[in-house]
Amino acid sequence: MQGDRILVLDFGGQQALSTAQRLRSIRVFSQVLPGSASLETIRAAMPKGIVLAGGDAAQEPLPLDCALLDMGIPVLATGASARRMAEVLGGQTHGVSIDRRTAQISFGASPLFSGLEESDRYFDRVEELLLPEGMKPIANSSAGLTPAFSNEEKRLYGLQFYAESNDPDGLAILRNFALDICQCDPWWTMEEFVERKTQKLRQQIGDGNVLMAISGGVDSSVSAALLARAVGDRLTCLFVDTGLLRKGEVELVERAYREQLSIRLVRVDARQRVLAQLSGVTAPEEKRRRIENTLFQVLQEQAAALGGAAFTADGAIYPDMLAKANLAKTGADNHVLHPLQHLFKAEVRLAGEVLQVPREMISRQPFPGPGLAIRIMGEVTENKLTMLREADAIFRQEIAEAGLDKRIWQYFAILTGLHSFGTRDGQTCYETAVALRAVSSSDAVTANAYRLPYDLLERVALRITTEIPGINRVLYDVTGKPSAMIEWE
């Protein structure tokens, strides 16, 4: 993407992604690169500013190149990265003085803290610092320490706390850095993204055709809508019915693509083929591998049957691309298109609104690629899929009727594989248990169990155990992330 940007260098942890998202929320385009990125890579991006984020003081010293601080580009370092910046410039640290507690902070005269007053702030870690020559304190704490420092002449700033965290001043600090110190143009909006990306896709594709496999989820649907805006009927979407989707999902996808988005859709029935591949398989990773391999084979066969295409596309978003560890390499194949490779999940939904993707598609909760296969503990069978599909449908229906479907990030049922004694129709039975999962999150990086009303849980449990033969017990998972992942497998 062209335009002013802030580079966020990732030294470990989740701070880099959180910082990038916060910057984008104030319309400043941000890009995450590994902390080990070369100076050449950084220069090539032509950033207006750099944020150093993350790092663990218990690990080896962060690989911060002193030359990065002499590039003449404003730098904001946070947490362990700030302490490392002080060290490479000749400063010293003298051990932890504040550890995981709240202290009062007062801000000095610095453009970084313009408009801010005294406040209480939670500090994960503050160390006593002997600042290098040229650095001066720009904030003080009630404990007499230096939580922030700067070299105003070189526009280098260090914070021994995390500006991206959800505190009263964090967003204001990032705004001051990006807009006032770095003089960034706040151009990043979804309307602007859609317009720029549409033009770029048209130039890249030319007169070629595009073939895209879609799941019906938010990412693939918005990606398909963006491609359709760029190339119209030269886009063909392949929808593989694996038999692992939720109740009513196949019909929803077909209606949205054909009737509402007017995108050419080819539906492939691979239910029996996928189920055969999962026979006897219990290990989660093996399930994933077999499903992915089967899907790849089906898509290859369909692509050949359709006569091939000059380009293929996917719905990978920014965190997906970063997880592959090399954004430049992943996007280097000009025949593979990643229309949403610069967007976070929340931005994908906003882009979907601009593209007029049906709300029922862009408001859908996250759904794993392997589908219900990884929400069934143990072997996947047709009978287990039927039970889980019905239990999940009941849970989703009751959540929606309670008016909670827009408040909860993700909610679903899991067939646990656990069995217990109960009664059905007056007879003793030995049936399986279903677990319910509902979580609050903003980015899936962390999550908390949603506190569902107890009467709703009772109603769901009663319906599941009476309407679905084979299920006699309902559990509610109250574990957050961490320590648990959102999905069970």
Coordinates of all heavy atoms in Angstrom, one line a residue, residues 290-369:
R290 N -5.4 -34.0 6.6 CA -6.2 -34.8 5.6 C -7.2 -33.9 5.0 O -7.5 -34.0 3.8 CB -6.8 -36.0 6.3 CG -5.8 -37.1 6.7 CD -6.5 -38.4 7.0 NE -5.5 -39.4 7.4 CZ -5.7 -40.7 7.3 NH1 -6.8 -41.1 6.9 NH2 -4.8 -41.6 7.7
I291 N -7.9 -33.0 5.8 CA -8.9 -32.2 5.2 C -8.2 -31.2 4.2 O -8.7 -31.0 3.1 CB -9.6 -31.4 6.3 CG1 -10.4 -32.3 7.2 CG2 -10.4 -30.3 5.7 CD1 -10.9 -31.7 8.4
E292 N -7.1 -30.6 4.6 CA -6.4 -29.7 3.7 C -5.9 -30.4 2.4 O -6.1 -29.8 1.3 CB -5.2 -29.1 4.4 CG -5.5 -28.1 5.5 CD -4.3 -27.7 6.3 OE1 -3.2 -28.1 6.0 OE2 -4.5 -26.8 7.2
N293 N -5.4 -31.6 2.5 CA -5.0 -32.3 1.3 C -6.1 -32.7 0.4 O -6.0 -32.6 -0.8 CB -4.2 -33.6 1.7 CG -2.9 -33.4 2.3 OD1 -2.3 -32.3 2.2 ND2 -2.3 -34.4 3.0
T294 N -7.2 -33.1 1.0 CA -8.4 -33.4 0.2 C -8.9 -32.2 -0.5 O -9.3 -32.2 -1.7 CB -9.5 -34.0 1.1 OG1 -9.0 -35.2 1.8 CG2 -10.7 -34.5 0.2
L295 N -9.0 -31.1 0.2 CA -9.5 -29.8 -0.4 C -8.6 -29.4 -1.6 O -9.0 -29.0 -2.6 CB -9.5 -28.7 0.6 CG -10.8 -28.7 1.6 CD1 -10.6 -27.7 2.6 CD2 -12.0 -28.4 0.8
F296 N -7.3 -29.5 -1.4 CA -6.3 -29.2 -2.4 C -6.5 -30.0 -3.7 O -6.5 -29.5 -4.8 CB -4.9 -29.3 -1.9 CG -3.8 -28.9 -2.9 CD1 -3.6 -27.6 -3.2 CD2 -3.0 -29.9 -3.5 CE1 -2.6 -27.2 -4.1 CE2 -2.1 -29.5 -4.4 CZ -1.8 -28.2 -4.7
Q297 N -6.7 -31.3 -3.5 CA -6.9 -32.2 -4.6 C -8.2 -31.8 -5.3 O -8.3 -31.8 -6.6 CB -7.0 -33.6 -4.1 CG -5.7 -34.2 -3.6 CD -5.8 -35.5 -2.9 OE1 -6.9 -36.1 -2.9 NE2 -4.7 -36.0 -2.2
V298 N -9.3 -31.6 -4.6 CA -10.6 -31.3 -5.2 C -10.5 -30.0 -6.0 O -10.9 -29.9 -7.1 CB -11.7 -31.1 -4.1 CG1 -12.9 -30.5 -4.7 CG2 -12.0 -32.5 -3.5
L299 N -9.8 -29.0 -5.4 CA -9.6 -27.7 -6.1 C -8.8 -27.8 -7.4 O -9.1 -27.2 -8.4 CB -9.0 -26.7 -5.1 CG -9.9 -26.3 -4.0 CD1 -9.2 -25.4 -3.0 CD2 -11.2 -25.6 -4.4
Q300 N -7.8 -28.6 -7.3 CA -6.9 -28.9 -8.5 C -7.8 -29.5 -9.6 O -7.7 -29.1 -10.8 CB -5.8 -29.7 -8.2 CG -4.6 -29.0 -7.5 CD -3.3 -29.9 -7.5 OE1 -3.4 -31.1 -7.2 NE2 -2.2 -29.3 -7.8
E301 N -8.6 -30.5 -9.2 CA -9.4 -31.2 -10.2 C -10.4 -30.2 -10.8 O -10.7 -30.2 -12.0 CB -10.2 -32.3 -9.5 CG -9.2 -33.4 -9.1 CD -9.9 -34.4 -8.1 OE1 -11.1 -34.2 -7.9 OE2 -9.2 -35.3 -7.6
Q302 N -11.0 -29.4 -10.0 CA -12.0 -28.4 -10.5 C -11.4 -27.3 -11.3 O -12.0 -26.9 -12.3 CB -12.8 -27.8 -9.3 CG -13.7 -28.7 -8.5 CD -14.8 -29.3 -9.4 OE1 -15.4 -28.6 -10.2 NE2 -15.0 -30.6 -9.3
A303 N -10.2 -26.9 -10.9 CA -9.5 -25.9 -11.7 C -9.2 -26.4 -13.1 O -9.4 -25.7 -14.1 CB -8.2 -25.5 -11.0
A304 N -8.8 -27.7 -13.2 CA -8.5 -28.3 -14.5 C -9.8 -28.4 -15.3 O -9.8 -28.2 -16.5 CB -7.8 -29.6 -14.3
A305 N -10.9 -28.8 -14.6 CA -12.1 -29.0 -15.4 C -12.7 -27.7 -15.9 O -13.3 -27.7 -16.9 CB -13.2 -29.6 -14.4
L306 N -12.4 -26.6 -15.2 CA -12.9 -25.3 -15.6 C -11.9 -24.6 -16.6 O -12.2 -23.5 -17.1 CB -13.0 -24.3 -14.4 CG -14.2 -24.7 -13.5 CD1 -14.1 -23.9 -12.2 CD2 -15.5 -24.5 -14.1
G307 N -10.8 -25.3 -17.0 CA -9.9 -24.8 -18.0 C -8.8 -23.9 -17.4 O -8.1 -23.3 -18.2
G308 N -8.7 -23.9 -16.1 CA -7.6 -23.1 -15.5 C -7.9 -21.6 -15.4 O -8.9 -21.1 -16.0
A309 N -7.0 -20.9 -14.8 CA -7.1 -19.4 -14.7 C -5.7 -18.8 -14.6 O -4.8 -19.5 -14.1 CB -8.0 -19.0 -13.5
A310 N -5.6 -17.6 -15.0 CA -4.3 -16.9 -15.0 C -3.9 -16.6 -13.5 O -2.7 -16.5 -13.2 CB -4.4 -15.6 -15.8
F311 N -4.9 -16.4 -12.6 CA -4.7 -16.1 -11.3 C -5.5 -16.9 -10.3 O -6.7 -17.3 -10.7 CB -5.0 -14.6 -11.0 CG -4.1 -13.7 -11.8 CD1 -4.5 -13.3 -13.1 CD2 -2.9 -13.2 -11.3 CE1 -3.8 -12.4 -13.8 CE2 -2.1 -12.3 -12.0 CZ -2.6 -11.9 -13.3
T312 N -5.0 -17.2 -9.2 CA -5.8 -17.8 -8.1 C -5.7 -16.8 -6.9 O -4.9 -15.9 -6.9 CB -5.2 -19.1 -7.6 OG1 -3.9 -18.9 -7.1 CG2 -5.3 -20.2 -8.7
A313 N -6.7 -16.9 -6.0 CA -6.8 -15.9 -4.9 C -7.2 -16.6 -3.6 O -7.8 -17.7 -3.7 CB -7.8 -14.8 -5.3
D314 N -6.9 -16.0 -2.5 CA -7.4 -16.5 -1.2 C -7.8 -15.4 -0.3 O -7.8 -14.2 -0.7 CB -6.3 -17.4 -0.5 CG -5.1 -16.6 -0.2 OD1 -5.2 -15.4 0.1 OD2 -4.0 -17.2 -0.1
G315 N -8.3 -15.7 0.9 CA -8.8 -14.7 1.8 C -7.9 -14.4 3.0 O -8.4 -14.0 4.0
A316 N -6.6 -14.7 2.8 CA -5.7 -14.5 3.9 C -5.6 -13.1 4.3 O -5.6 -12.2 3.5 CB -4.3 -15.0 3.5
I317 N -5.7 -12.8 5.6 CA -5.6 -11.4 6.2 C -4.3 -11.2 6.8 O -3.4 -12.1 6.8 CB -6.8 -11.2 7.1 CG1 -6.7 -12.0 8.4 CG2 -8.1 -11.4 6.4 CD1 -7.7 -11.7 9.4
Y318 N -4.1 -10.0 7.3 CA -2.7 -9.6 7.8 C -2.1 -10.5 8.8 O -1.0 -11.0 8.7 CB -2.8 -8.2 8.3 CG -1.5 -7.5 8.4 CD1 -0.5 -7.7 7.5 CD2 -1.2 -6.6 9.4 CE1 0.8 -7.0 7.5 CE2 0.0 -5.9 9.5 CZ 1.0 -6.2 8.6 OH 2.2 -5.5 8.6
P319 N -2.8 -10.9 9.9 CA -2.2 -11.8 10.9 C -1.9 -13.2 10.2 O -0.9 -13.8 10.6 CB -3.3 -12.0 11.9 CG -4.1 -10.7 11.9 CD -4.1 -10.4 10.4
D320 N -2.7 -13.6 9.2 CA -2.3 -14.9 8.5 C -1.0 -14.7 7.8 O -0.1 -15.6 7.9 CB -3.4 -15.2 7.5 CG -4.8 -15.5 8.1 OD1 -4.8 -15.9 9.3 OD2 -5.8 -15.1 7.5
M321 N -0.8 -13.6 7.2 CA 0.4 -13.4 6.4 C 1.6 -13.3 7.3 O 2.7 -13.8 7.0 CB 0.3 -12.1 5.5 CG -0.9 -12.1 4.6 SD -0.9 -13.4 3.3 CE 0.3 -12.8 2.2
L322 N 1.4 -12.6 8.5 CA 2.5 -12.4 9.4 C 2.9 -13.8 10.0 O 4.1 -14.0 10.3 CB 2.1 -11.4 10.5 CG 2.0 -10.0 10.1 CD1 1.5 -9.2 11.2 CD2 3.3 -9.4 9.6
A323 N 1.9 -14.6 10.2 CA 2.2 -16.0 10.8 C 3.1 -16.8 9.8 O 3.8 -17.7 10.3 CB 0.9 -16.7 11.1
K324 N 3.0 -16.5 8.5 CA 3.9 -17.2 7.6 C 5.3 -16.6 7.6 O 6.2 -17.1 6.9 CB 3.3 -17.1 6.2 CG 1.9 -17.8 6.1 CD 1.3 -17.5 4.7 CE 0.0 -18.2 4.6 NZ -0.7 -18.0 3.3
A325 N 5.5 -15.6 8.4 CA 6.8 -15.1 8.8 C 7.5 -14.3 7.7 O 8.5 -13.7 7.9 CB 7.7 -16.2 9.3
N326 N 6.9 -14.3 6.5 CA 7.6 -13.5 5.4 C 6.6 -13.0 4.4 O 6.3 -13.6 3.4 CB 8.6 -14.5 4.6 CG 9.5 -13.7 3.8 OD1 9.2 -12.6 3.3 ND2 10.7 -14.2 3.5
L327 N 6.1 -11.8 4.7 CA 5.0 -11.2 3.9 C 5.5 -11.0 2.5 O 4.8 -11.2 1.5 CB 4.6 -9.9 4.6 CG 3.5 -9.1 3.9 CD1 2.2 -10.0 3.8 CD2 3.2 -7.8 4.6
A328 N 6.7 -10.5 2.3 CA 7.3 -10.2 1.0 C 7.3 -11.5 0.2 O 6.9 -11.5 -1.0 CB 8.6 -9.6 1.1
K329 N 7.8 -12.6 0.7 CA 8.0 -13.8 0.0 C 6.6 -14.4 -0.4 O 6.4 -14.8 -1.5 CB 8.8 -14.8 0.8 CG 8.9 -16.2 0.1 CD 9.8 -17.1 1.0 CE 9.9 -18.4 0.3 NZ 10.7 -19.4 1.1
T330 N 5.6 -14.3 0.6 CA 4.3 -14.9 0.4 C 3.6 -14.2 -0.7 O 2.9 -14.8 -1.5 CB 3.5 -14.8 1.7 OG1 4.3 -15.5 2.7 CG2 2.2 -15.6 1.5
G331 N 3.8 -12.9 -0.8 CA 3.1 -12.1 -1.8 C 3.8 -11.9 -3.1 O 3.4 -11.2 -3.9
A332 N 5.0 -12.6 -3.2 CA 5.8 -12.4 -4.4 C 5.3 -13.0 -5.6 O 5.7 -12.6 -6.7 CB 7.3 -12.9 -4.0
D333 N 4.5 -14.1 -5.5 CA 4.0 -14.8 -6.7 C 2.9 -14.0 -7.3 O 1.8 -13.9 -6.7 CB 3.5 -16.2 -6.3 CG 3.1 -17.0 -7.5 OD1 3.0 -16.4 -8.6 OD2 2.9 -18.2 -7.3
N334 N 3.1 -13.4 -8.4 CA 2.1 -12.5 -9.0 C 0.9 -13.2 -9.5 O -0.1 -12.6 -9.9 CB 2.7 -11.7 -10.2 CG 3.7 -10.7 -9.7 OD1 3.6 -10.2 -8.6 ND2 4.7 -10.4 -10.6
H335 N 0.9 -14.6 -9.5 CA -0.2 -15.4 -9.9 C -1.1 -15.8 -8.8 O -2.2 -16.4 -9.0 CB 0.2 -16.6 -10.7 CG 0.9 -16.2 -12.0 ND1 0.2 -15.8 -13.1 CD2 2.2 -16.2 -12.3 CE1 1.1 -15.5 -14.1 NE2 2.3 -15.7 -13.6
V336 N -0.7 -15.5 -7.5 CA -1.5 -15.7 -6.4 C -1.9 -14.4 -5.7 O -1.0 -13.6 -5.3 CB -0.8 -16.6 -5.3 CG1 -1.7 -16.9 -4.1 CG2 -0.3 -17.9 -6.0
L337 N -3.2 -14.1 -5.6 CA -3.6 -12.8 -5.1 C -4.1 -13.0 -3.7 O -4.8 -13.9 -3.3 CB -4.8 -12.3 -6.0 CG -4.5 -12.3 -7.5 CD1 -5.9 -12.0 -8.2 CD2 -3.5 -11.2 -7.8
H338 N -3.7 -12.0 -2.9 CA -4.1 -11.9 -1.5 C -4.8 -10.5 -1.3 O -4.1 -9.6 -0.7 CB -2.9 -12.1 -0.5 CG -2.1 -13.2 -0.9 ND1 -2.4 -14.5 -0.6 CD2 -0.8 -13.3 -1.4 CE1 -1.5 -15.4 -1.0 NE2 -0.5 -14.6 -1.5
P339 N -6.0 -10.3 -1.7 CA -6.6 -9.0 -1.7 C -6.7 -8.4 -0.3 O -6.6 -7.1 -0.2 CB -8.0 -9.2 -2.2 CG -7.9 -10.5 -3.1 CD -6.9 -11.3 -2.4
L340 N -6.7 -9.2 0.8 CA -6.9 -8.6 2.1 C -5.6 -8.8 3.0 O -5.7 -8.7 4.2 CB -8.0 -9.3 2.8 CG -9.4 -9.4 2.1 CD1 -10.4 -10.1 3.0 CD2 -9.8 -7.9 1.8
Q341 N -4.5 -8.9 2.3 CA -3.3 -9.2 3.1 C -2.8 -8.1 4.0 O -2.0 -8.3 4.9 CB -2.1 -9.5 2.1 CG -1.7 -8.4 1.2 CD -0.5 -8.8 0.4 OE1 -0.1 -9.9 0.2 NE2 0.2 -7.8 -0.2
H342 N -3.4 -6.9 3.9 CA -3.0 -5.8 4.7 C -4.0 -5.5 5.8 O -3.8 -4.5 6.6 CB -2.8 -4.5 3.9 CG -1.6 -4.6 3.0 ND1 -1.8 -4.8 1.6 CD2 -0.3 -4.5 3.2 CE1 -0.6 -4.8 1.0 NE2 0.3 -4.6 2.0
L343 N -5.1 -6.3 5.9 CA -6.2 -5.9 6.8 C -6.2 -6.8 8.1 O -6.0 -8.1 8.0 CB -7.5 -6.0 6.1 CG -7.8 -5.1 4.9 CD1 -9.2 -5.2 4.5 CD2 -7.4 -3.7 5.2
F344 N -6.5 -6.2 9.2 CA -6.9 -7.0 10.4 C -8.4 -7.4 10.3 O -9.1 -6.8 9.5 CB -6.7 -6.1 11.6 CG -5.2 -5.9 12.0 CD1 -4.6 -4.7 11.7 CD2 -4.5 -6.9 12.6 CE1 -3.2 -4.5 12.0 CE2 -3.1 -6.7 12.9 CZ -2.5 -5.5 12.6
K345 N -8.8 -8.3 11.2 CA -10.1 -8.8 11.1 C -11.2 -7.7 11.2 O -12.2 -7.7 10.4 CB -10.4 -9.9 12.2 CG -11.8 -10.4 12.3 CD -12.1 -11.3 11.1 CE -11.5 -12.6 11.2 NZ -12.0 -13.6 10.1
A346 N -11.0 -6.8 12.1 CA -12.0 -5.8 12.3 C -12.1 -4.9 11.0 O -13.2 -4.5 10.6 CB -11.7 -4.9 13.5
E347 N -11.0 -4.7 10.4 CA -10.9 -3.9 9.1 C -11.6 -4.7 8.0 O -12.2 -4.1 7.1 CB -9.5 -3.6 8.8 CG -8.8 -2.6 9.8 CD -7.3 -2.5 9.5 OE1 -6.7 -3.4 9.1 OE2 -6.9 -1.3 9.7
V348 N -11.5 -6.0 8.0 CA -12.1 -6.8 7.0 C -13.6 -6.6 7.0 O -14.3 -6.4 6.0 CB -11.8 -8.3 7.1 CG1 -12.6 -9.2 6.2 CG2 -10.3 -8.6 6.9
R349 N -14.2 -6.6 8.2 CA -15.6 -6.4 8.3 C -16.0 -5.0 7.8 O -17.1 -4.8 7.2 CB -16.1 -6.5 9.8 CG -15.8 -8.0 10.3 CD -16.4 -8.1 11.7 NE -15.9 -9.3 12.4 CZ -16.4 -10.5 12.2 NH1 -17.4 -10.7 11.4 NH2 -15.9 -11.6 12.8
L350 N -15.2 -4.0 8.1 CA -15.5 -2.6 7.7 C -15.4 -2.5 6.1 O -16.2 -1.9 5.5 CB -14.5 -1.6 8.3 CG -14.7 -1.4 9.8 CD1 -13.5 -0.5 10.3 CD2 -16.0 -0.8 10.1
A351 N -14.4 -3.2 5.6 CA -14.3 -3.3 4.1 C -15.5 -3.9 3.5 O -16.0 -3.5 2.4 CB -13.0 -4.0 3.7
G352 N -16.0 -5.0 4.2 CA -17.2 -5.7 3.7 C -18.4 -4.7 3.7 O -19.2 -4.8 2.7
E353 N -18.5 -3.8 4.6 CA -19.6 -2.9 4.6 C -19.5 -1.9 3.4 O -20.5 -1.6 2.7 CB -19.6 -2.1 5.9 CG -20.0 -2.9 7.1 CD -20.0 -2.1 8.4 OE1 -19.8 -0.9 8.3 OE2 -20.3 -2.7 9.5
V354 N -18.3 -1.5 3.1 CA -18.0 -0.6 2.0 C -18.4 -1.3 0.7 O -19.0 -0.7 -0.2 CB -16.6 -0.1 2.0 CG1 -16.3 0.7 0.7 CG2 -16.2 0.7 3.2
L355 N -18.1 -2.6 0.6 CA -18.3 -3.4 -0.6 C -19.8 -3.9 -0.6 O -20.1 -4.6 -1.6 CB -17.4 -4.6 -0.7 CG -15.9 -4.2 -0.9 CD1 -15.0 -5.3 -0.5 CD2 -15.7 -3.8 -2.4
Q356 N -20.6 -3.6 0.4 CA -22.0 -4.0 0.5 C -22.1 -5.5 0.5 O -23.1 -6.1 -0.1 CB -22.8 -3.4 -0.7 CG -22.8 -1.8 -0.6 CD -23.7 -1.2 -1.7 OE1 -23.8 -1.8 -2.8 NE2 -24.2 0.0 -1.4
V357 N -21.2 -6.2 1.1 CA -21.4 -7.6 1.4 C -22.5 -7.8 2.3 O -22.7 -7.0 3.3 CB -20.1 -8.2 2.0 CG1 -20.3 -9.7 2.3 CG2 -18.9 -8.1 1.0
P358 N -23.4 -8.7 2.1 CA -24.6 -8.9 3.0 C -24.2 -9.0 4.5 O -23.2 -9.6 4.8 CB -25.2 -10.2 2.6 CG -24.8 -10.3 1.1 CD -23.5 -9.7 1.0
R359 N -24.9 -8.3 5.3 CA -24.5 -8.2 6.7 C -24.5 -9.6 7.4 O -23.7 -9.8 8.3 CB -25.6 -7.3 7.5 CG -25.2 -7.2 9.0 CD -25.9 -6.0 9.5 NE -25.4 -4.7 9.0 CZ -24.3 -4.2 9.4 NH1 -23.6 -4.7 10.4 NH2 -23.8 -3.0 8.9
E360 N -25.3 -10.5 6.9 CA -25.3 -11.8 7.5 C -24.0 -12.6 7.2 O -23.7 -13.5 7.9 CB -26.5 -12.7 7.0 CG -26.5 -12.8 5.5 CD -27.7 -13.6 5.0 OE1 -28.5 -14.1 5.8 OE2 -27.9 -13.6 3.7
M361 N -23.3 -12.1 6.2 CA -22.0 -12.7 5.9 C -20.8 -12.0 6.7 O -20.0 -12.7 7.3 CB -21.7 -12.6 4.4 CG -22.7 -13.3 3.5 SD -22.8 -15.0 3.8 CE -21.2 -15.6 3.1
I362 N -20.8 -10.7 6.8 CA -19.7 -10.0 7.4 C -19.8 -10.0 9.0 O -18.9 -9.7 9.7 CB -19.5 -8.6 6.9 CG1 -20.8 -7.7 7.2 CG2 -19.2 -8.5 5.5 CD1 -20.6 -6.3 6.8
S363 N -21.0 -10.3 9.5 CA -21.2 -10.3 10.9 C -21.0 -11.7 11.5 O -21.1 -11.9 12.7 CB -22.6 -9.8 11.3 OG -23.6 -10.7 10.8
R364 N -20.7 -12.7 10.6 CA -20.5 -14.1 11.1 C -19.3 -14.2 12.0 O -18.3 -13.5 11.8 CB -20.4 -15.0 9.9 CG -21.6 -15.0 9.0 CD -21.4 -15.9 7.8 NE -21.4 -17.3 8.2 CZ -20.8 -18.3 7.4 NH1 -20.2 -18.0 6.3 NH2 -20.9 -19.5 7.8
Q365 N -19.4 -15.0 13.0 CA -18.3 -15.3 13.9 C -17.3 -16.1 13.2 O -17.5 -16.8 12.2 CB -18.8 -15.9 15.2 CG -19.6 -17.3 14.9 CD -20.1 -17.9 16.2 OE1 -19.3 -18.2 17.0 NE2 -21.3 -18.1 16.3
P366 N -16.0 -16.0 13.7 CA -14.9 -16.9 13.1 C -15.3 -18.3 13.1 O -15.9 -18.8 14.1 CB -13.8 -16.6 14.1 CG -14.1 -15.2 14.7 CD -15.5 -15.2 14.8
F367 N -14.9 -19.0 12.1 CA -15.1 -20.5 11.9 C -13.8 -21.1 11.4 O -13.3 -20.6 10.4 CB -16.3 -20.7 11.0 CG -16.8 -22.1 11.0 CD1 -17.3 -22.7 12.1 CD2 -16.7 -22.9 9.8 CE1 -17.7 -24.0 12.1 CE2 -17.1 -24.2 9.8 CZ -17.7 -24.8 10.9
P368 N -13.4 -22.2 12.0 CA -12.1 -22.8 11.6 C -12.2 -23.4 10.2 O -13.2 -23.9 9.8 CB -11.8 -23.8 12.7 CG -13.1 -24.2 13.2 CD -13.9 -22.9 13.2
G369 N -11.0 -23.4 9.5 CA -11.0 -24.0 8.2 C -11.4 -25.5 8.2 O -12.2 -25.9 7.3

